[in-house]
Amino acid sequence: MARRTFTVVDIAEIYVHWYAGRSKSQVSAALGVDRKTIRKYLASAEKAGITRAGRP
């Protein structure tokens, strides 16, 4: 199992793609990151009430 280091820019790009309305699978494919990793980073945003393509 390989580990990858993420910078703030990488994580911000995940949020930008997701907020634009793309699904987690689409974000995963576009950025070349595992879907479980995408889900991990988006969990805090979803918990805070942030939704895709709109305001909470």
Side-chain angles (χ1 to χ4, degrees):
M1 181 165 119
R3 293 199 168 244
R4 179 177 168 193
T5 303
F6 285 94
T7 64
V8 174
V9 174
D10 295 328
I11 297 168
E13 189 150 356
I14 291 170
Y15 290 122
V16 168
H17 279 269
W18 180 72
Y19 191 76
R22 294 176 185 92
S23 69
K24 292 173 188 168
S25 295
Q26 290 172 326
V27 174
S28 173
L31 300 178
V33 178
D34 187 57
R35 204 173 84 74
K36 290 182 238 171
T37 304
I38 300 293
R39 189 172 61 211
K40 175 180 129 180
Y41 283 106
L42 292 178
S44 60
E46 291 172 330
K47 186 176 178 182
I50 300 170
T51 59
R52 290 189 303 150
R55 295 180 177 234

